[in-house]
Amino acid sequence: MSVPADRMSPEERRAGASLAAIFALRMLGLFLILPVFSVYAKTLPGGDNLAMVGLALGAYGLTQAVFQIPYGIASDVFGRKRVIVIGLLIFALGSFVAAWAPSMNWIIVGRVLQGAGAISAAVTALAADLTREEHRTKVMAMIGSSIGLVFALSLVGSPILYGWIGMHGLFILTGVLALAGIVTLLKAVPPAP
């Protein structure tokens, strides 16, 4: 049975929802860190240096920007899902390094690793692969909405979670959410053409 061109197919809806969930899981972990990191940084050796704190926050974005294009090219060559899994594993490793970090220097190493798991290009390329041209903007809107939603949730939830599990727990949660993204990718995202 063919789906009319003006309606998304069930597979396109599933692809959009599952890819949005992967983005949401990854971004939730990142966004949970931001509201409380400066409070936590003061407790670490090197945390009184504002330049180091700024570098720890910005290191993710810097390495994310550097690795987007190489990951996109790699996803063309080696397959989207494989590159997304590798990126999420690197991101999770960075999260666990940051959770363990005894100093601001190690937090920066963890944040650099998190940024090196730059999967955005590969995920959006997979979204394009799994949807017809007339529905790509809808899927991209689903992904964008998930990011906005988790940002709002993190602003409310971050101080509460920080009080319960501390920054170490937040970084561990970030790594676990990245691993949950891998499960979502392998179980829920339709196979790429």
Side-chain angles (χ1 to χ4, degrees), residues 29-115:
L30 279 175
F31 291 152
L32 284 171
I33 306 297
L34 297 178
V36 293
F37 184 76
S38 61
V39 172
Y40 170 71
K42 293 174 186 172
T43 68
L44 288 175
D48 55 346
N49 182 336
L50 296 180
M52 293 284 281
V53 175
L55 182 58
L57 286 171
Y60 170 84
L62 179 63
T63 51
Q64 177 88 349
V66 167
F67 283 98
Q68 279 307 329
I69 292 173
Y71 271 63
I73 293 168
S75 76
D76 291 338
V77 175
F78 302 112
R80 313 269 191 239
K81 286 189 175 184
R82 180 176 295 161
V83 169
I84 294 168
V85 167
I86 290 167
L88 286 171
L89 286 172
I90 292 169
F91 179 86
L93 174 64
S95 300
F96 298 134
V97 167
W100 160 83
S103 70
M104 190 57 65
N105 290 330
W106 279 103
I107 291 278
I108 292 169
V109 169
R111 296 285 290 166
V112 165
L113 283 170
Q114 283 183 319

Side-chain angles (χ1 to χ4, degrees), residues 104-168:
M104 190 57 65
N105 290 330
W106 279 103
I107 291 278
I108 292 169
V109 169
R111 296 285 290 166
V112 165
L113 283 170
Q114 283 183 319
I119 62 164
S120 299
V123 172
T124 53
L126 182 56
D129 292 345
L130 295 173
T131 55
R132 291 172 287 165
E133 188 174 342
E134 57 269 21
H135 298 295
R136 283 193 192 124
T137 54
K138 294 175 190 170
V139 170
M140 296 303 169
M142 291 169 77
I143 291 170
S145 318
S146 73
I147 294 169
L149 177 64
V150 297
F151 181 72
L153 289 173
S154 70
L155 290 176
V156 174
S158 178
I160 296 167
L161 284 171
Y162 181 69
W164 288 344
I165 61 177
M167 187 57 74
H168 298 289

